[in-house]
């Protein structure tokens, strides 16, 4: 890990994207308690923003505004706080930072908003503290912080393995139109995995991403991709939040190309053919009473990136 080089700028602003899982296959728990995953991530145009500014040595302060800010801890239970602390620990210096997080991703929604905050924090603090670290340098720390943090650094479309932290860019073409339907309330990821284990599913065989999905991405074929969407955590998410069933079933009525619960839920992602279809579906879902709100996004987008301050 690099040593501090020069004092950094007075403030650094970084944004990082939410993700959806185009496919998520889940195996039985490993001895360490984590479930092995075979997944394909896609970063979408819904962003968290983190602004890092100097603080006294050893002081890490977190301030949160925006979507669900009242639900987000500001202490070391916050993943961005932990990211800053981990980076300072690796450097071996009592570095300080104030982190201002502007949230747009709902909390506990299966979209990895907290992971996006952590990825943005690693990039922002590296610049603020003059460490000279690039995304590749930060990937090992991102993997320590959580399964989705490395992907939030990289963005795009990528295949994930291990517990999700090992990511490799996927050969993919085209841009995709998604409508995200946000449910009332959240689903904590550990609770969904516990329910998955309680339901006693048979792990997928073979335990890998389907060739059909990868072909769809290589060809930029949205219709085929819609048919290939699958999530092994969808059943436990629907079991824990039965109201999601009507939302998933609405895909046929609204003529979506495909539908899937993202990650551990409860956000439901609808794939549609065009921007016009996405706008129509966003309006329809918002008025349906089936969800709290809906938002049109596109993917893939880049990972954590520095913005002008």
């Amino acid at each position: 890990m690099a040593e501090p080089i020069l004092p950094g700028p007075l403030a650094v602003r970084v944004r990082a994207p939410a993700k959806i899982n185009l496919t998520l296959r889940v195996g039985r728990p490993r001895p360490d308690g984590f479930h092995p995953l075979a997944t394909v991530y896609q970063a979408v145009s819904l962003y968290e923003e983190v602004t890092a500014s100097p603080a006294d040595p050893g002081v890490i302060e977190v301030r949160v505004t925006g979507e669900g800010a009242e639900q987000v801890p500001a202490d070391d239970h916050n993943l961005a706080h932990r990211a800053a602390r981990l980076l300072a620990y690796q450097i071996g210096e009592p570095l300080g930072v104030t982190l201002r997080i502007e949230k747009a991703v709902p909390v506990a929604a299966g979209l990895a908003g907290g992971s996006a905050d952590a990825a943005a924090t690693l990039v922002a603090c590296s610049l603020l503290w003059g460490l000279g670290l690039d995304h590749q340098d930060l990937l090992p720390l991102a993997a320590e912080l959580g399964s989705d943090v490395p992907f939030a650094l990289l963005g795009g479309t990528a295949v994930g393995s291990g517990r999700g932290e090992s990511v490799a860019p996927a050969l993919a073409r085209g841009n995709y139109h998604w409508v995200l339907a946000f449910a009332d309330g959240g689903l904590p990821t550990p609770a969904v995995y516990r329910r998955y284990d309680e339901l006693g599913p048979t792990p997928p065989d073979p335990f890998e991403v389907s060739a059909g999905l990868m072909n769809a991405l290589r060809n930029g074929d949205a219709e085929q991709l819609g048919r290939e969407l699958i999530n092994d955590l969808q059943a436990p998410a629907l079991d824990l939040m039965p109201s999601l069933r009507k939302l998933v079933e609405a895909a046929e009525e609204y003529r979506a190309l495909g539908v899937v619960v993202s990650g551990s839920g409860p956000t439901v992602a609808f794939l549609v053919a065009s921007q016009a279809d996405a706008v129509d579906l966003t309006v329809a879902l918002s008025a349906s009473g089936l969800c709290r709100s809906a938002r049109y996004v596109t993917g893939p987008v880049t990972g954590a990136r520095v913005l002008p301050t």
Side-chain angles (χ1 to χ4, degrees):
M1 184 63 67
E3 295 292 333
I5 301 172
L6 294 169
L10 294 179
V12 180
R13 187 163 63 108
V14 178
R15 74 177 188 182
K19 62 80 185 172
I20 55 177
N21 298 86
L22 307 181
T23 187
L24 180 56
R25 311 314 310 265
V26 180
R28 296 189 187 281
R30 306 182 312 199
D32 63 5
F34 287 104
H35 293 73
L37 305 178
T39 188
V40 176
Y41 296 108
Q42 186 164 103
V44 296
S45 58
L46 179 65
Y47 299 99
E48 300 278 279
E49 289 190 9
V50 175
T51 301
S53 55
D56 291 338
V59 174
I60 296 176
E61 182 180 14
V62 175
R63 304 171 184 172
V64 187
T65 58
E67 169 76 36
E70 69 283 355
Q71 304 172 55
V72 180
D75 56 13
D76 57 6
H77 291 90
N78 184 292
L79 203 54
H81 188 292
R82 289 165 52 196
R85 183 73 70 192
L86 178 62
L87 184 56
Y89 174 80
Q90 291 294 323
I91 298 302
E93 296 284 343
L95 301 169
V97 65
T98 295
L99 300 170
R100 296 193 302 276
I101 301 173
E102 177 63 32
K103 291 195 61 61
V105 180
V107 178
L111 298 170
S115 296
D117 294 337
T121 295
L122 290 175
V123 174
C125 287
S126 175
L127 284 170
L128 183 75
W129 294 337
L131 305 181
L133 303 176
D134 61 22
H135 283 46
Q136 291 298 319
D137 296 324
L138 295 171
L139 278 174
L141 296 183
E144 285 190 47
L145 289 164
S147 299
D148 296 328
V149 182
F151 177 71
L153 270 177
L154 298 178
T157 304
V159 178
S161 57
R163 54 182 171 81
E165 84 286 3
S166 298
V167 291
L171 182 58
R173 297 175 55 199
N175 294 303
Y176 298 91
H177 302 276
W178 299 93
V179 176
L180 304 180
F182 303 134
D184 277 314
L187 280 176
T189 298
V192 177
Y193 275 100
R194 283 195 299 271
R195 191 60 184 138
Y196 174 81
D197 293 335
E198 291 166 359
L199 293 174
T202 301
D205 184 23
F207 184 66
E208 59 187 20
V209 175
S210 75
L213 185 137
M214 298 309 295
N215 286 336
L217 290 172
R218 280 193 292 269
N219 296 328
D221 187 337
E223 289 191 11
Q224 183 183 359
L225 179 62
R227 294 191 294 270
E228 297 287 343
L229 300 175
I230 187 170
N231 179 2
D232 289 341
L233 295 182
Q234 183 160 311
L238 296 182
D239 188 72
L240 291 170
M241 191 177 283
S243 60
L244 291 180
R245 293 186 185 277
K246 290 184 178 179
L247 192 54
V248 172
E249 291 165 357
E252 184 173 351
E253 176 186 350
Y254 293 123
R255 298 188 300 281
L257 300 178
V259 62
V260 68
V261 171
S262 181
S264 56
T267 301
V268 178
F270 296 81
L271 178 63
V272 295
S274 68
Q275 179 178 358
D277 289 343
V279 171
D280 289 345
L281 179 54
T282 302
V283 172
L285 287 173
S286 298
S288 69
L290 296 174
C291 59
R292 174 171 60 87
S293 62
R295 178 155 178 173
Y296 166 46
V297 298
T298 60
V301 299
T302 57
R305 291 295 180 269
V306 180
L307 299 176
T309 53

